[in-house]
Each structure stands twice: as C-alpha cells, then as structure tokens.
Amino acid sequence: MSKVGGARPGAGRKPGTLNQRSAEMAADILGSGKSPLEYLLEVMVDESTDQKRRDWAAEKAAAFIHPRPAPTPRTVQLQLPAIDTAKDMPGAIAGVLKAVADGEISPSEAQSVVAIIEAQRKAVETTDLLERIEALEGRITR
C-alpha cells in the first residue's frame, strides 16, 4: 500500500534557496559594484527608502562599524588544596564548585580552572605511571 499524504521526497524549496526579496537585494548589491557595507550604508541614509528597509540596513551595518568588544579575562584567586596526587583532584574540583556556588567566580571561569586542574591530573598520572613502569622494568632486568 502506498503512503498517502504528507510531503513527497524532494518536494519544496531547496535548502539555501533565496526568497524573492533576498534575491532582489542580492542582485541590487552585486549590480552596484559596491561592498556590502557601502551598500548597507547607502540604503540606511537614503530618505526615500522604506523605513523598515533602512532599519534593517542599519542593524546589519552596525556589526561592521561597531563590533562587540571581546570579553576581558580577569584573574581568579581561589584557595585550593595542594594537588600532588590524583587523589587530591576531587578536593580541588570541589573547591572550584564551591566558589561557583558562592558566586565568587562564574561558571565559565570555573570551567577554565577545572581544565587546568585536569592538565595537572594528567601530568601527575603520567609521572606515577612512568615511575611504576621503571620499577617494573627494574625487576624484570634483574
């Protein structure tokens, strides 16, 4: 029995296809020989253009003229236990979690600190494994 109703495979507008208005604007921009920013600024200051289109041009041009400032990183100071063994890691991460819960640091700052703790964990574990391997090799060669 065949499927009845619903969308047919391959039916409808293909992804990325421009609607009529977008196609007209793209043709205007490409035909003018101007950069997109120049075109947007020209539309924005043209008093004879529809107000909605002028507002749209101003909104799009603003990102080029006034980019968002990059967030400035800040130094975070936390009291964490010494991290000498892999067993010390949960306590350090718990300290970071407490600082987030108390509002001392933001979650994104905590994520950065935990990434540093994770790098320290890997270094500690690598050192421990190297010592164990050397000890095993020492037993085998004797």
Side-chain angles (χ1 to χ4, degrees):
M1 175 150 185
S2 68
K3 187 171 153 183
V4 178
R8 296 181 321 274
R13 187 185 301 224
K14 304 297 179 238
T17 303
L18 298 177
N19 62 27
Q20 184 176 355
R21 181 172 176 177
S22 296
E24 287 173 359
M25 279 198 267
D28 285 347
I29 292 170
L30 294 174
S32 70
K34 299 174 186 165
S35 74
L37 181 59
E38 290 172 331
Y39 177 80
L40 289 171
L41 293 174
E42 187 176 287
V43 169
M44 185 179 76
V45 297
D46 185 5
E47 303 253 342
S48 63
T49 305
D50 179 47
Q51 185 63 40
K52 286 185 179 182
R53 188 165 184 206
R54 292 177 63 202
D55 291 344
W56 169 83
E59 181 182 329
K60 296 298 180 185
F64 293 100
I65 298 170
H66 305 289
R68 289 184 181 159
T72 54
R74 69 181 185 111
T75 303
V76 175
Q77 294 183 351
L78 297 173
Q79 294 297 325
L80 298 176
I83 305 172
D84 298 322
T85 66
K87 292 180 182 179
D88 298 332
M89 303 298 160
I93 293 174
V96 173
L97 182 61
K98 183 177 181 329
V100 172
D102 292 345
E104 296 173 18
I105 62 174
S106 70
S108 62
E109 292 168 333
Q111 190 174 16
S112 298
V113 173
V114 169
I116 294 169
I117 293 171
E118 176 66 13
Q120 174 70 7
R121 180 194 62 81
K122 288 180 182 179
V124 167
E125 285 183 352
T126 301
T127 304
D128 290 346
L129 287 172
L130 180 61
E131 290 173 0
R132 290 174 63 190
I133 290 170
E134 288 173 348
L136 287 171
E137 288 176 345
R139 282 190 215 163
I140 293 172
T141 57
R142 285 188 218 164

